[in-house]
Amino acid sequence: MQEKGNSEPAFRRVWSDLRSQILNHEFDPDTALPTELDLAQKYSVSRQTVRRAFLDLVARTLSSGFPEGVRS
């Protein structure tokens, strides 16, 4: 799903924001990420859109290795 006037898919916006927050250590490593429902409400998207962003983050991490500083 895309917003009017925005050529970037909604899942990509969620993915990009989550990736940035992870790389900038904005999430406490001892705490779970926000739920799909919480993120769906925050970004005004469906839970499926958030799930797709999560799955893409995992797939990219597994295929390219963990970014420096993200490993525990």
Side-chain angles (χ1 to χ4, degrees), residues 10-11 14-15 18 34-41 43 45-57:
F11 88 91
V14 175
W15 175 89
L18 287 174
T35 66
E36 288 178 357
L37 182 58
D38 290 340
L39 290 170
Q41 291 172 342
Y43 292 101
V45 297
S46 70
R47 286 179 60 196
Q48 183 63 32
T49 297
V50 173
R51 186 174 300 123
R52 182 169 178 194
F54 274 145
L55 291 173
D56 196 49
L57 278 169

Side-chain angles (χ1 to χ4, degrees), residues 13-69:
R13 288 184 291 109
V14 175
W15 175 89
S16 179
D17 196 34
L18 287 174
R19 181 180 181 276
S20 176
Q21 290 176 51
I22 290 167
L23 292 174
N24 291 322
H25 306 282
E26 295 178 26
F27 294 113
D28 183 345
D30 296 325
T31 305
L33 292 173
T35 66
E36 288 178 357
L37 182 58
D38 290 340
L39 290 170
Q41 291 172 342
K42 176 182 177 180
Y43 292 101
S44 299
V45 297
S46 70
R47 286 179 60 196
Q48 183 63 32
T49 297
V50 173
R51 186 174 300 123
R52 182 169 178 194
F54 274 145
L55 291 173
D56 196 49
L57 278 169
V58 170
R60 288 174 185 254
T61 299
L62 292 175
S63 67
S64 64
F66 288 97
E68 193 63 34

